[in-house]
C-alpha cells in the first residue's frame, strides 16, 4: 500500500508540476505566442517549428493537437497549415523527456538534490518579488521543482522492487511481443492523457527497476499512438476539416510507429538479439523517443499532402456552407483553443473585431435607409441588431472562460478591455437601431429634409463611420497610428455635431425646415456623435494595452 500511495502521490506531483510549469511558460511567453500564431503560414517547415515550440511551452503535445483541431474548426488555419504543426508537436514533447533524464547526468542534477532548491527559489520569487516577470519565472521554477519531486517519489516507491521477478517477467514478455508492448504504451497514454507524462513514468520505471530496451522501445511507440486519442475525442462535434486534422495526427503517428516497429523488430530479432535485452536508462528512453519523433517527421514530411488526402478518404464529404447563426459563431469561438490561453486571447480579439464590423455595417444600412428612403433597409437593421446581440452574448461567455485560464497581467488587461469593447460595440449597434427607427418614422410620416440638411447628415455620418472603422481596425492590429486617427476624428465629429446643430436650429427659426423633420435631424446627429464616443473608448482601451 505504501508503494502504491507513494507512486500515485509522486505521479500527481509530477503532473501538477508539468501543469504549473506550462502555465508559467505560457504567461512568460505572452506576446511571443501571438508571433508564433502569425507564423502559421503554408510553409510547413515553419509549422513544424511552431508546433515544437508551442508543445514545449504548454508541456503537452495532446494540448497542442487539440488546439490545432480547434483552430481548423474555427477556420483560423487550414488543413495544410495544420499538418506541419502536428508533426512539430511530436518533436516538442521530447524536450520534457530530456529534462527528466537530467538526473542521470550529474549528482547535482538529481531530483532529490535540485528540486528543493528550485522550489524554494521559485516560491521566493512568487511571494517576495514585485516584478511581474520575476513572478512568472518563479512559477516556472516551482513547476519544474514539483515535477522533479514527483519523479523522486515515483522512483523511491519502486526501488524496493528493483529485483522483483514480476516486473522482470512482465517487461520481458512485452519486449518479446511488439503488439502487446505497443498496446500497453497506447493504453497508459490514453488513460493519463499525456505522452510526456507516460514517458516520464517509463523513465521512472527504467531508473527504479530492470526495464529491457526492447520493451521500452515498443512502449514508446505505443505512447505516441495513444496521444492521438485525445485529439480524436476532441474532434467529436467538429466540422469535417477539423476531424481530418485529428486523423492526420493519428495517421502520422501510426505510420511512423509501424515503420519504426518493423526496423526495430528486425534489429532485435535477426541482427542483434542481445541488444534488446540490455537494461535501458532514462537517457536511452529520451534518445529513442527523440529519434522516433524526429525520424518520423523527416520520413513523412515529404508525404504530408498524401496524409491530407488519406484523411479525406477516411472523413468523406464537404462541410456545408457556413450559416451566420449561433452554431457558426460558436464554431469560431472554439473551446479547444482555450487549451492555449495566449491563442484564445488572439481568437477573441478577432471575433470582437468581427462583431465591430457587423455594427459598422448596420450603421451604414441605417443611415442609407434615411438618404434612400428605403424601408427594407430599416427591416434589415432590426434583424441584424438581433444577431449582434447574440454575438455579444456568446463572445462575453467566451471571454469569461478565457479569464478563468492562466493569463499573465497583460493578457488579463486585454480580456478586461475586450469585455468593455464588446459593450461599446453593442451600444454602437443600439445607436444604429435608433437611427433606423428614425428612418422608419421619417419615411412613414412622409417627411422631407432640405438638400443642405441631407448633405450635412452625409458629412457627419461618413466621418463617424470612418472613426469607428479606425477604432475596430486598431483593436485588431494594435496600430498606434489608427488610434491617433480615431482621436482626431472624434474631435472633428464633436465639433461637427455642435456646428450642424446650430445651423439646423437657425434653419428652424427661419422656417426653412419643418419642426418634426428637425427633431429627426437633431436625434440623428446626436446618435452619430455618441457612436464616435464609443469608438474613442475602444481606441483608448487599445492605447492602454500598448503603453
Amino acid at each position: 500500500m505504501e508503494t502504491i500511495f507513494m507512486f500515485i502521490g509522486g505521479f500527481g506531483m509530477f503532473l501538477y508540476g508539468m501543469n504549473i510549469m506550462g502555465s508559467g511558460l505560457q504567461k512568460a511567453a505572452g506576446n511571443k505566442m501571438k508571433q508564433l500564431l502569425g507564423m502559421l503560414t503554408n510553409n510547413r517547415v515553419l509549422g513544424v517549428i511552431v508546433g515544437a515550440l508551442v508543445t514545449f511551452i504548454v508541456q503537452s503535445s495532446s494540448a497542442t493537437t487539440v488546439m490545432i483541431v480547434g483552430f481548423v474548426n474555427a477556420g483560423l488555419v487550414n488543413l495544410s497549415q495544420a499538418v506541419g504543426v502536428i508533426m512539430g508537436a511530436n518533436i516538442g514533447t521530447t524536450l520534457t523527456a530530456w529534462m527528466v533524464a537530467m538526473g542521470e547526468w550529474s549528482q547535482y542534477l538529481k531530483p532529490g538534490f535540485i528540486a528543493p532548491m528550485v522550489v524554494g527559489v521559485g516560491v521566493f520569487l512568487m511571494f517576495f518579488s514585485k516584478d511581474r516577470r520575476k513572478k512568472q519565472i518563479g512559477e516556472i521554477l516551482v513547476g519544474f521543482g514539483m515535477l522533479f519531486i514527483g519523479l523522486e517519489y515515483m522512483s523511491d516507491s519502486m526501488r524496493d522492487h528493483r529485483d522483483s521477478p514480476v516486473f522482470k517477467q512482465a517487461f520481458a514478455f512485452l519486449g518479446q511481443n511488439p503488439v502487446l508492448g505497443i498496446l500497453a504504451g497506447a493504453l497508459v497514454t490514453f488513460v493519463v492523457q499525456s505522452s510526456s507524462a507516460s514517458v516520464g513514468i517509463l523513465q521512472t520505471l527504467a531508473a527504479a527497476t530492470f526495464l529491457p530496451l526492447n520493451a521500452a522501445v515498443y512502449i514508446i511507440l505505443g505512447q505516441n499512438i495513444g496521444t492521438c486519442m485525445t485529439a480524436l475525442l476532441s474532434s467529436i462535434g467538429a466540422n469535417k476539416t477539423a476531424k481530418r486534422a485529428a486523423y492526420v495526427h493519428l495517421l502520422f503517428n501510426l505510420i511512423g510507429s509501424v515503420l519504426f516497429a518493423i526496423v526495430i523488430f528486425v534489429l532485435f530479432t535477426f541482427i542483434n538479439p542481445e541488444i534488446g535485452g540490455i537494461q535501458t536508462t532514462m537517457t536511452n528512453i529520451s534518445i529513442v523517443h527523440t529519434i522516433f519523433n524526429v525520424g518520423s517527421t523527416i520520413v513523412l514530411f515529404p508525404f504530408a499532402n498524401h496524409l491530407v488526402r488519406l484523411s479525406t478518404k477516411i472523413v468523406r464529404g464537404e462541410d456545408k456552407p457556413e450559416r451566420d447563426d449561433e452554431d457558426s459563431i460558436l464554431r469560431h469561438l472554439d473551446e479547444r483553443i482555450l487549451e492555449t490561453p495566449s491563442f484564445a486571447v488572439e481568437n477573441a480579439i478577432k471575433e470582437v473585431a468581427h462583431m465591430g464590423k457587423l455594427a459598422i455595417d448596420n450603421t451604414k444600412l441605417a443611415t442609407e435607409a434615411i438618404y434612400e428612403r428605403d424601408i427594407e433597409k430599416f427591416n434589415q437593421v432590426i434583424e441584424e441588431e438581433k444577431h449582434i446581440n447574440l454575438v455579444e452574448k456568446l463572445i462575453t461567455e467566451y471571454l469569461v472562460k478565457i479569464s478563468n485560464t492562466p493569463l499573465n497581467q497583460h493578457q488579463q488587461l486585454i480580456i478586461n478591455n475586450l469585455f468593455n469593447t464588446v459593450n461599446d460595440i453593442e451600444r454602437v449597434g443600439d445607436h444604429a437601431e435608433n437611427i433606423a427607427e428614425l428612418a422608419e418614422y421619417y419615411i412613414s410620416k412622409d417627411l422631407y429634409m432640405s438638400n443642405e440638411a441631407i448633405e450635412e447628415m452625409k458629412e457627419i455620418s461618413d466621418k463617424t463611420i470612418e472613426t469607428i472603422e479606425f477604432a475596430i481596425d486598431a483593436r485588431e492590429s494594435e496600430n498606434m497610428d489608427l488610434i491617433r486617427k480615431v482621436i482626431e476624428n472624434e474631435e472633428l465629429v464633436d465639433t461637427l455635431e455642435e456646428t450642424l446643430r446650430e445651423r439646423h436650429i437657425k434653419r428652424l427659426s427661419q422656417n426653412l425646415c419643418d419642426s418634426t423633420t428637425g427633431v429627426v435631424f437633431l436625434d440623428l446627429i446626436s446618435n452619430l456623435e455618441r457612436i464616435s464616443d464609443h469608438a474613442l473608448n475602444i481606441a483608448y482601451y487599445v492605447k492602454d494595452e500598448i503603453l
Side-chain angles (χ1 to χ4, degrees), residues 458-525:
K458 285 183 178 180
E459 181 183 7
I460 190 172
S461 66
D462 287 348
K463 186 59 67 177
T464 299
I465 289 168
E466 184 183 64
T467 305
I468 188 66
E469 284 176 336
F470 284 150
I472 296 302
D473 288 344
R475 171 64 282 172
E476 192 167 18
S477 63
E478 296 184 346
N479 187 312
M480 199 65 193
D481 290 334
L482 290 173
I483 294 171
R484 294 189 191 97
K485 288 179 181 179
V486 172
I487 295 169
E488 292 170 5
N489 271 22
E490 199 277 333
E491 291 175 356
L492 287 173
V493 172
D494 283 350
T495 304
L496 196 55
E497 195 263 349
E498 291 177 11
T499 303
L500 297 185
R501 184 177 294 276
E502 290 173 2
R503 286 184 193 170
H504 202 69
I505 291 172
K506 186 176 181 180
R507 282 197 294 270
L508 288 171
S509 65
Q510 295 174 350
N511 292 321
L512 297 175
C513 272
D514 179 78
S515 60
T516 309
T517 307
V519 171
V520 173
F521 180 88
L522 294 174
D523 281 353
L524 172 67
I525 63 173

Side-chain angles (χ1 to χ4, degrees), residues 309-341:
R309 280 196 287 271
L310 192 54
S311 71
T312 60
K313 299 290 184 184
I314 298 171
V315 182
R316 295 180 178 276
E318 296 296 328
D319 290 313
K320 294 178 182 178
E322 186 175 309
R323 298 170 298 155
D324 204 13
D325 58 10
E326 183 171 350
D327 289 340
S328 70
I329 300 164
L330 286 171
R331 191 167 74 78
H332 287 277
L333 300 173
D334 198 300
E335 292 192 21
R336 299 171 187 85
I337 302 173
L338 296 173
E339 292 278 348
T340 316

Side-chain angles (χ1 to χ4, degrees), residues 355-376:
M355 178 186 172
K357 288 166 186 175
L358 293 177
I360 291 168
D361 290 342
N362 229 24
T363 305
K364 291 177 181 177
L365 268 177
T367 53
E368 289 168 3
I370 290 184
Y371 309 146
E372 300 171 12
R373 304 182 68 84
D374 189 340
I375 198 68
E376 182 56 36

Side-chain angles (χ1 to χ4, degrees), residues 8-24 58-59 119 126 139-151 154 197:
I8 292 174
F11 181 59
M13 280 190 280
F14 176 74
L15 280 181
Y16 185 67
M18 279 180 59
N19 183 269
I20 293 294
M21 186 169 70
S23 172
V58 302
Q59 286 294 294
V119 172
M126 288 176 68
E139 189 174 345
I140 295 168
L141 291 176
V142 168
F144 186 74
M146 289 288 288
L147 183 153
F148 270 67
I149 290 172
L151 282 172
M154 285 194 288

